[in-house]
mmCIF file of all heavy atoms in Angstrom:
data_model
loop_
_atom_site.group_PDB
_atom_site.id
_atom_site.type_symbol
_atom_site.label_atom_id
_atom_site.label_comp_id
_atom_site.label_asym_id
_atom_site.label_seq_id
_atom_site.Cartn_x
_atom_site.Cartn_y
_atom_site.Cartn_z
ATOM 1 N N PHE A 60 -6.809 15.967 90.596
ATOM 2 C CA PHE A 60 -7.492 17.153 90.210
ATOM 3 C C PHE A 60 -7.079 18.511 90.989
ATOM 4 O O PHE A 60 -7.798 19.323 91.293
ATOM 5 C CB PHE A 60 -8.991 16.997 90.346
ATOM 6 C CG PHE A 60 -9.580 16.087 89.415
ATOM 7 C CD1 PHE A 60 -10.116 14.746 89.903
ATOM 8 C CD2 PHE A 60 -9.695 16.304 88.080
ATOM 9 C CE1 PHE A 60 -10.657 13.956 88.984
ATOM 10 C CE2 PHE A 60 -10.165 15.358 87.172
ATOM 11 C CZ PHE A 60 -10.633 14.183 87.598
ATOM 12 N N ASN A 61 -5.751 18.347 91.452
ATOM 13 C CA ASN A 61 -5.208 19.417 92.257
ATOM 14 C C ASN A 61 -5.198 20.725 91.534
ATOM 15 O O ASN A 61 -5.434 21.773 92.174
ATOM 16 C CB ASN A 61 -3.696 19.085 92.580
ATOM 17 C CG ASN A 61 -3.260 19.617 93.815
ATOM 18 O OD1 ASN A 61 -4.106 19.924 94.825
ATOM 19 N ND2 ASN A 61 -1.996 19.767 94.115
ATOM 20 N N ALA A 62 -5.105 20.867 90.229
ATOM 21 C CA ALA A 62 -5.033 22.093 89.492
ATOM 22 C C ALA A 62 -6.462 22.688 89.676
ATOM 23 O O ALA A 62 -6.659 23.973 89.783
ATOM 24 C CB ALA A 62 -4.665 21.864 88.021
ATOM 25 N N PHE A 63 -7.452 21.906 89.664
ATOM 26 C CA PHE A 63 -8.826 22.295 89.730
ATOM 27 C C PHE A 63 -9.110 22.824 91.100
ATOM 28 O O PHE A 63 -9.816 23.869 91.392
ATOM 29 C CB PHE A 63 -9.786 21.315 89.363
ATOM 30 C CG PHE A 63 -9.557 20.783 87.979
ATOM 31 C CD1 PHE A 63 -8.612 19.823 87.546
ATOM 32 C CD2 PHE A 63 -10.488 21.111 86.852
ATOM 33 C CE1 PHE A 63 -8.457 19.385 86.202
ATOM 34 C CE2 PHE A 63 -10.336 20.677 85.482
ATOM 35 C CZ PHE A 63 -9.308 19.806 85.374
ATOM 36 N N LYS A 64 -8.553 22.255 92.014
ATOM 37 C CA LYS A 64 -8.839 22.546 93.585
ATOM 38 C C LYS A 64 -8.296 23.942 93.928
ATOM 39 O O LYS A 64 -8.934 24.755 94.459
ATOM 40 C CB LYS A 64 -8.098 21.497 94.408
ATOM 41 C CG LYS A 64 -8.396 21.781 95.927
ATOM 42 C CD LYS A 64 -7.801 20.693 96.782
ATOM 43 C CE LYS A 64 -6.382 20.859 96.980
ATOM 44 N NZ LYS A 64 -5.815 19.870 97.966
ATOM 45 N N HIS A 65 -7.058 24.178 93.361
ATOM 46 C CA HIS A 65 -6.415 25.466 93.705
ATOM 47 C C HIS A 65 -6.856 26.564 92.818
ATOM 48 O O HIS A 65 -6.630 27.756 93.151
ATOM 49 C CB HIS A 65 -4.888 25.275 93.669
ATOM 50 C CG HIS A 65 -4.346 24.456 94.909
ATOM 51 N ND1 HIS A 65 -4.152 25.093 95.985
ATOM 52 C CD2 HIS A 65 -3.942 23.219 94.963
ATOM 53 C CE1 HIS A 65 -3.615 24.200 96.858
ATOM 54 N NE2 HIS A 65 -3.595 23.013 96.270
ATOM 55 N N CYS A 66 -7.490 26.288 91.663
ATOM 56 C CA CYS A 66 -7.778 27.367 90.728
ATOM 57 C C CYS A 66 -9.273 27.120 90.294
ATOM 58 O O CYS A 66 -9.458 26.599 89.251
ATOM 59 C CB CYS A 66 -6.875 27.352 89.523
ATOM 60 S SG CYS A 66 -7.084 28.815 88.491
ATOM 61 N N PRO A 67 -10.305 27.608 91.116
ATOM 62 C CA PRO A 67 -11.611 27.431 90.653
ATOM 63 C C PRO A 67 -11.987 28.091 89.249
ATOM 64 O O PRO A 67 -11.250 29.055 88.787
ATOM 65 C CB PRO A 67 -12.379 28.201 91.804
ATOM 66 C CG PRO A 67 -11.453 28.192 92.904
ATOM 67 C CD PRO A 67 -10.126 28.304 92.373
ATOM 68 N N PHE A 68 -12.961 27.734 88.690
ATOM 69 C CA PHE A 68 -13.273 28.026 87.311
ATOM 70 C C PHE A 68 -13.344 29.527 87.043
ATOM 71 O O PHE A 68 -12.858 30.065 86.178
ATOM 72 C CB PHE A 68 -14.650 27.386 86.898
ATOM 73 C CG PHE A 68 -15.056 27.715 85.456
ATOM 74 C CD1 PHE A 68 -14.383 27.311 84.367
ATOM 75 C CD2 PHE A 68 -16.191 28.514 85.310
ATOM 76 C CE1 PHE A 68 -14.716 27.637 83.003
ATOM 77 C CE2 PHE A 68 -16.608 28.901 83.965
ATOM 78 C CZ PHE A 68 -15.797 28.413 82.889
ATOM 79 N N ASP A 69 -14.094 30.193 87.999
ATOM 80 C CA ASP A 69 -14.236 31.608 87.885
ATOM 81 C C ASP A 69 -13.010 32.424 88.235
ATOM 82 O O ASP A 69 -13.115 33.698 88.084
ATOM 83 C CB ASP A 69 -15.483 32.061 88.653
ATOM 84 C CG ASP A 69 -15.423 31.754 90.093
ATOM 85 O OD1 ASP A 69 -14.558 31.014 90.595
ATOM 86 O OD2 ASP A 69 -16.254 32.272 90.916
ATOM 87 N N LYS A 70 -11.992 31.791 88.711
ATOM 88 C CA LYS A 70 -10.832 32.525 89.071
ATOM 89 C C LYS A 70 -9.614 32.369 88.057
ATOM 90 O O LYS A 70 -8.694 33.004 88.171
ATOM 91 C CB LYS A 70 -10.215 31.980 90.495
ATOM 92 C CG LYS A 70 -11.315 32.116 91.530
ATOM 93 C CD LYS A 70 -11.602 33.415 92.033
ATOM 94 C CE LYS A 70 -12.459 33.411 93.217
ATOM 95 N NZ LYS A 70 -12.818 34.842 93.541
ATOM 96 N N VAL A 71 -9.894 31.617 86.998
ATOM 97 C CA VAL A 71 -8.799 31.367 86.057
ATOM 98 C C VAL A 71 -8.473 32.592 85.310
ATOM 99 O O VAL A 71 -9.335 33.285 84.618
ATOM 100 C CB VAL A 71 -9.200 30.233 84.960
ATOM 101 C CG1 VAL A 71 -8.121 30.142 83.946
ATOM 102 C CG2 VAL A 71 -9.511 28.898 85.685
ATOM 103 N N LYS A 72 -7.286 32.992 85.368
ATOM 104 C CA LYS A 72 -6.667 34.171 84.612
ATOM 105 C C LYS A 72 -5.687 33.609 83.468
ATOM 106 O O LYS A 72 -5.552 34.298 82.399
ATOM 107 C CB LYS A 72 -5.903 35.139 85.444
ATOM 108 C CG LYS A 72 -6.776 35.717 86.619
ATOM 109 C CD LYS A 72 -5.825 36.639 87.414
ATOM 110 C CE LYS A 72 -6.651 37.523 88.486
ATOM 111 N NZ LYS A 72 -5.686 38.232 89.322
ATOM 112 N N ILE A 73 -4.950 32.572 83.838
ATOM 113 C CA ILE A 73 -3.919 32.214 82.885
ATOM 114 C C ILE A 73 -3.954 30.624 82.813
ATOM 115 O O ILE A 73 -4.103 29.998 83.998
ATOM 116 C CB ILE A 73 -2.482 32.645 83.273
ATOM 117 C CG1 ILE A 73 -2.401 34.089 83.219
ATOM 118 C CG2 ILE A 73 -1.319 31.865 82.477
ATOM 119 C CD1 ILE A 73 -1.037 34.692 83.764
ATOM 120 N N VAL A 74 -3.888 30.065 81.642
ATOM 121 C CA VAL A 74 -3.705 28.558 81.486
ATOM 122 C C VAL A 74 -2.369 28.267 80.975
ATOM 123 O O VAL A 74 -2.013 28.796 79.978
ATOM 124 C CB VAL A 74 -4.762 28.028 80.541
ATOM 125 C CG1 VAL A 74 -4.694 26.516 80.354
ATOM 126 C CG2 VAL A 74 -6.125 28.399 81.104
ATOM 127 N N ILE A 75 -1.603 27.403 81.734
ATOM 128 C CA ILE A 75 -0.300 26.806 81.211
ATOM 129 C C ILE A 75 -0.534 25.422 80.999
ATOM 130 O O ILE A 75 -0.772 24.676 81.976
ATOM 131 C CB ILE A 75 0.782 27.144 82.260
ATOM 132 C CG1 ILE A 75 1.002 28.703 82.454
ATOM 133 C CG2 ILE A 75 2.056 26.533 81.687
ATOM 134 C CD1 ILE A 75 2.116 28.962 83.369
ATOM 135 N N LEU A 76 -0.372 24.973 79.760
ATOM 136 C CA LEU A 76 -0.741 23.621 79.408
ATOM 137 C C LEU A 76 0.491 22.710 79.294
ATOM 138 O O LEU A 76 1.461 23.059 78.597
ATOM 139 C CB LEU A 76 -1.481 23.547 78.030
ATOM 140 C CG LEU A 76 -1.993 22.255 77.739
ATOM 141 C CD1 LEU A 76 -3.168 21.736 78.511
ATOM 142 C CD2 LEU A 76 -2.548 22.241 76.176
ATOM 143 N N GLY A 77 0.455 21.537 80.156
ATOM 144 C CA GLY A 77 1.563 20.633 80.008
ATOM 145 C C GLY A 77 1.114 19.347 79.298
ATOM 146 O O GLY A 77 -0.230 19.408 78.966
ATOM 147 N N GLN A 78 1.826 18.407 79.153
ATOM 148 C CA GLN A 78 1.523 17.205 78.389
ATOM 149 C C GLN A 78 1.130 16.034 79.341
ATOM 150 O O GLN A 78 0.084 15.451 79.385
ATOM 151 C CB GLN A 78 2.508 16.804 77.439
ATOM 152 C CG GLN A 78 2.067 15.668 76.492
ATOM 153 C CD GLN A 78 3.023 15.484 75.270
ATOM 154 O OE1 GLN A 78 3.860 16.278 75.016
ATOM 155 N NE2 GLN A 78 2.701 14.634 74.344
ATOM 156 N N ASP A 79 2.113 15.682 80.253
ATOM 157 C CA ASP A 79 2.006 14.489 81.081
ATOM 158 C C ASP A 79 2.562 14.834 82.504
ATOM 159 O O ASP A 79 3.322 15.765 82.668
ATOM 160 C CB ASP A 79 3.014 13.536 80.552
ATOM 161 C CG ASP A 79 2.427 12.207 80.208
ATOM 162 O OD1 ASP A 79 1.221 12.120 80.175
ATOM 163 O OD2 ASP A 79 3.185 11.221 80.031
ATOM 164 N N PRO A 80 1.984 14.251 83.501
ATOM 165 C CA PRO A 80 2.751 14.394 84.857
ATOM 166 C C PRO A 80 4.063 13.859 84.797
ATOM 167 O O PRO A 80 4.402 12.982 84.048
ATOM 168 C CB PRO A 80 1.741 13.556 85.753
ATOM 169 C CG PRO A 80 0.494 13.289 85.049
ATOM 170 C CD PRO A 80 0.842 13.299 83.568
ATOM 171 N N TYR A 81 4.855 14.308 85.757
ATOM 172 C CA TYR A 81 6.238 13.738 85.749
ATOM 173 C C TYR A 81 6.076 12.249 86.455
ATOM 174 O O TYR A 81 5.182 11.916 87.117
ATOM 175 C CB TYR A 81 6.991 14.513 87.080
ATOM 176 C CG TYR A 81 7.281 15.942 86.695
ATOM 177 C CD1 TYR A 81 6.974 16.994 87.386
ATOM 178 C CD2 TYR A 81 8.197 16.312 85.578
ATOM 179 C CE1 TYR A 81 7.111 18.307 87.165
ATOM 180 C CE2 TYR A 81 8.576 17.581 85.329
ATOM 181 C CZ TYR A 81 7.924 18.599 86.091
ATOM 182 O OH TYR A 81 8.309 19.888 85.834
ATOM 183 N N HIS A 82 6.954 11.451 85.996
ATOM 184 C CA HIS A 82 6.811 9.974 86.256
ATOM 185 C C HIS A 82 7.827 9.505 87.183
ATOM 186 O O HIS A 82 8.015 8.329 87.398
ATOM 187 C CB HIS A 82 6.907 9.193 84.845
ATOM 188 C CG HIS A 82 7.995 9.537 84.109
ATOM 189 N ND1 HIS A 82 9.279 8.815 84.239
ATOM 190 C CD2 HIS A 82 8.142 10.279 82.984
ATOM 191 C CE1 HIS A 82 10.056 9.264 83.284
ATOM 192 N NE2 HIS A 82 9.443 10.179 82.543
ATOM 193 N N GLY A 83 8.595 10.442 87.929
ATOM 194 C CA GLY A 83 9.540 10.096 88.946
ATOM 195 C C GLY A 83 9.016 10.093 90.255
ATOM 196 O O GLY A 83 8.011 10.825 90.531
ATOM 197 N N PRO A 84 9.568 9.455 91.218
ATOM 198 C CA PRO A 84 9.043 9.379 92.621
ATOM 199 C C PRO A 84 9.046 10.796 93.245
ATOM 200 O O PRO A 84 9.889 11.481 93.104
ATOM 201 C CB PRO A 84 9.949 8.488 93.294
ATOM 202 C CG PRO A 84 10.663 7.629 92.270
ATOM 203 C CD PRO A 84 10.766 8.529 91.080
ATOM 204 N N GLY A 85 7.772 11.102 93.799
ATOM 205 C CA GLY A 85 7.674 12.313 94.584
ATOM 206 C C GLY A 85 7.604 13.595 93.909
ATOM 207 O O GLY A 85 7.581 14.631 94.389
ATOM 208 N N GLN A 86 7.572 13.580 92.470
ATOM 209 C CA GLN A 86 7.608 14.762 91.708
ATOM 210 C C GLN A 86 6.174 15.283 91.524
ATOM 211 O O GLN A 86 5.849 16.470 91.870
ATOM 212 C CB GLN A 86 8.201 14.536 90.326
ATOM 213 C CG GLN A 86 9.703 14.275 90.543
ATOM 214 C CD GLN A 86 10.313 14.091 88.987
ATOM 215 O OE1 GLN A 86 9.876 13.062 88.177
ATOM 216 N NE2 GLN A 86 11.310 14.776 88.633
ATOM 217 N N ALA A 87 5.265 14.574 90.824
ATOM 218 C CA ALA A 87 3.969 14.997 90.294
ATOM 219 C C ALA A 87 3.010 15.232 91.467
ATOM 220 O O ALA A 87 2.898 14.353 92.376
ATOM 221 C CB ALA A 87 3.396 14.045 89.370
#
Side-chain angles (χ1 to χ4, degrees):
F60 293 110
N61 209 20
F63 299 79
K64 180 176 81 174
H65 284 279
C66 188
F68 178 70
D69 57 347
K70 303 293 185 186
V71 175
K72 294 179 176 179
I73 294 175
V74 178
I75 299 181
L76 186 68
Q78 189 163 358
D79 235 18
Y81 296 118
H82 53 85
Q86 293 180 304

